[in-house]
Amino acid sequence: MSRTRARTAAVVGAGAAGLVAARELLREGHAVTVFERSGRVGGTWAYDARSDPDPLGLDPAAPGAVHGSLYASLRTNLPRELMGFSGFALQGRVFAGDPRTFPGHREVLAFLDAFAEESGVAGHVRLRAEVRRLRPLGPGEGWSVEWRGDAGDAEEVFDAVVVCNGHCTVPLVPKLRGIENWRGNHMHSHNYRTPEPFQDQVVVVVGLGASGVDIAREISKVAKEVHIASRYTQDRVGKVDIYQNVWLRSEVDCIQDDGKVCFMEGSAVTADTILYCTGYRYHFPFLDVDDFTVDDNRVGPLYNHVFPPKYAPSLSFVGLPSKSIVLQTIEMEARWVARVLSGRAELPSEADMAAAVQEHNRRMEAAGKPKRHTHVLMPGWVRTCVHTCMPLVDAFLR
Ligand SMILES: Cc1cc2nc3c(=O)[nH]c(=O)nc-3n(C[C@H](O)[C@H](O)[C@H](O)COP(=O)(O)OP(=O)(O)OC[C@H]3O[C@@H](n4cnc5c(N)ncnc54)[C@H](O)[C@@H]3O)c2cc1C
């Protein structure tokens, strides 16, 4: 692909990443169109009380599948000081009547609404416009964007495309040994909204990330027992002192023939529900390009998580990293993309970018890190975050 200055740019998605990408592109003088398949901006932060018909949410294309993964009680796990954009802070201003340091989701959504309006980005967003297919037209000829809106299907050509479709929608569900023996309920946190359905149940929560901790704590108020299974519990397995009904377990070993959930340390429980809080997988169903894969949650090849060497700079991705200071990271990525497209910043050659990606992957392998951690920027983030924000795990891991 040619590396000329982009004059028109399509942004896929009007969540936080798409909004800030649009702002940065506009600042660099590009003509921007943001395609958003839902009826509003804000992406993940637009709480949706509905959940997928399939509690595991395995098929994102299934009728009735929802984008959002927030639960009703969700508050940010980063302080508002870390959740603004440059020139438009979440700190020092209250957007939806929630001035707390760790505000609820409505406050963040109102912040994003205000950001879209006040930055002028809102005027560039097409709502109910779903991108169905993105494909390169040939060297220097730009990108075909096929999309579906209220008036039907359409195709337009842009010089550049920035993919910002989010990555907290399609559940990553581990295949537990013996799962064919399971007769109870199961669900992924993508579909968790409120604790009431777990009244008096014995629940196994798989995963000790931010959602796992939050949800386990909330469910413990109504459930009979909550057992949290995680590889990070190590020698801390056992009942949690400050709770009457919460146990830390090691990883799930298997589901026994009798349906009991058996943990690596040797204990087993008869449970009503297995609730997977095991994260999400990257998914780009509309992308029609060569030499580009998602392999065990490694998206690539991508130079610094943003540019695929073969198509850079006209194709880019903003918002892939996880376990980061999210909004600041996506803003930096967006600014980089906008400046490379306008010629104010330069990329290495295609060969050098490809070599850098290979070197990154080689180092990960040498360090024994799995592919699925490719886009994890701060591996210690979970522990740091739960230590500071979440009393339950603070008590566990202290
Ligand atoms: C439970 C939970 C808690 C979180 N807590 C925090 C927190 O405390 N602090 C924090 O900073 N981050 C948190 N995050 C991360 C959060 O995902 C980011 O803050 C941010 O919202 C990511 O923005 P995004 O634009 O990349 O993705 P999204 O917000 O998911 O937006 C993607 C947008 O793309 C649209 N879209 C998708 N496909 C298409 C298509 N084909 N055509 C058109 N539009 C499309 C979607 O409709 C959506 O609007 C949390 C996430 C979850 C799930």
Side-chain angles (χ1 to χ4, degrees):
M1 305 297 289
S2 78
R3 297 184 180 194
T4 54
R5 177 190 174 98
R7 303 193 188 289
T8 57
V11 175
V12 184
L19 294 175
V20 77
R23 182 186 76 168
E24 296 302 319
L25 288 162
L26 288 167
R27 280 178 165 176
E28 287 293 313
H30 304 292
V32 179
T33 304
V34 183
F35 293 87
E36 169 52 52
R37 70 178 171 189
S38 77
R40 66 168 351 282
V41 304
T44 287
W45 293 101
Y47 171 72
D48 191 341
R50 299 169 306 152
S51 53
D52 291 357
D54 167 16
L56 291 181
L58 293 177
D59 179 8
V66 300
H67 181 82
S69 301
L70 296 192
Y71 27 99
S73 66
L74 185 126
R75 292 173 62 184
T76 65
N77 52 23
L78 291 174
R80 63 193 303 141
E81 287 81 354
L82 293 180
M83 286 197 58
F85 295 124
S86 62
F88 201 88
L90 186 53
Q91 182 190 13
R93 191 171 155 189
V94 178
F95 293 88
D98 183 353
R100 293 175 294 181
T101 301
F102 297 90
H105 52 80
R106 281 176 199 81
E107 180 73 7
V108 182
L109 181 63
F111 158 77
L112 291 174
D113 280 340
F115 174 73
E117 287 299 330
E118 293 177 34
S119 67
V121 165
H124 297 262
V125 179
R126 284 187 204 161
L127 298 177
R128 292 178 296 283
E130 178 178 8
V131 172
R132 314 271 296 176
R133 188 176 179 212
L134 284 183
R135 72 191 157 91
L137 291 174
E141 291 176 28
W143 290 80
S144 155
V145 177
E146 295 177 26
W147 61 282
R148 178 167 293 173
D150 291 341
D153 292 350
E155 180 177 3
E156 286 171 62
V157 174
F158 292 84
D159 296 322
V161 178
V162 187
V163 176
C164 306
N165 65 326
H167 59 84
C168 293
T169 292
V170 186
L172 194 59
V173 180
K175 190 171 183 326
L176 301 179
R177 196 158 64 90
I179 191 67
E180 62 279 4
N181 299 320
W182 179 248
R183 298 286 173 267
N185 308 315
H186 53 190
M187 166 194 268
H188 187 275
S189 58
H190 167 62
N191 287 314
Y192 175 83
R193 296 294 179 270
T194 58
E196 288 77 22
F198 303 92
Q199 183 79 41
D200 300 326
Q201 289 195 3
V202 175
V203 183
V204 173
V205 173
V206 181
L208 193 57
S211 293
V213 172
D214 242 6
I215 292 172
R217 189 176 47 184
E218 187 162 85
I219 286 179
S220 71
K221 292 175 188 156
V222 301
K224 188 173 162 201
E225 294 176 12
V226 177
H227 301 265
I228 307 173
S230 167
R231 66 173 68 101
Y232 299 112
T233 51
Q234 293 159 358
D235 57 349
R236 292 177 172 84
V237 295
K239 187 163 167 311
V240 180
D241 289 347
I242 57 172
Y243 289 83
Q244 296 300 317
N245 59 346
V246 180
W247 284 258
L248 272 186
R249 304 292 185 190
S250 51
E251 280 181 272
V252 173
D253 180 26
C254 67
I255 311 298
Q256 295 178 171
D257 293 349
D258 60 3
K260 277 190 172 177
V261 181
C262 185
F263 303 98
M264 295 292 259
E265 83 266 15
S267 63
V269 297
T270 302
D272 299 291
T273 299
I274 299 176
L275 208 167
Y276 296 97
C277 298
T278 41
Y280 297 89
R281 63 184 174 88
Y282 295 95
H283 188 55
F284 308 100
F286 45 79
L287 206 51
D288 186 359
V289 293
D290 299 326
D291 306 325
F292 191 79
T293 58
V294 180
D295 176 14
D296 191 18
N297 249 8
R298 170 178 288 171
V299 183
L302 278 182
Y303 179 61
N304 285 343
H305 314 283
V306 173
F307 289 107
K310 179 172 176 178
Y311 299 102
S314 65
L315 176 64
S316 57
F317 295 76
V318 170
L320 263 51
S322 63
K323 312 282 188 288
S324 69
I325 311 295
V326 183
L327 299 196
Q328 294 174 12
T329 303
I330 59 182
E331 178 176 345
M332 290 305 112
E333 292 182 334
R335 190 167 300 163
W336 189 31
V337 168
R339 288 187 182 182
V340 169
L341 288 173
S342 67
R344 281 220 293 151
E346 274 193 24
L347 290 176
S349 69
E350 181 182 334
D352 285 350
M353 286 190 280
V357 177
Q358 278 183 1
E359 175 60 12
H360 178 260
N361 295 346
R362 190 198 61 74
R363 285 190 187 181
M364 281 192 68
E365 275 150 39
K369 293 182 185 167
K371 278 184 190 169
R372 64 178 185 280
H373 287 181
T374 298
H375 306 293
V376 175
L377 288 198
M378 288 192 272
W381 181 89
V382 172
R383 179 173 283 250
T384 307
C385 180
V386 295
H387 257 296
T388 51
C389 312
M390 309 208 178
L392 174 65
V393 168
D394 188 37
F396 295 165
L397 300 180
R398 183 166 50 198

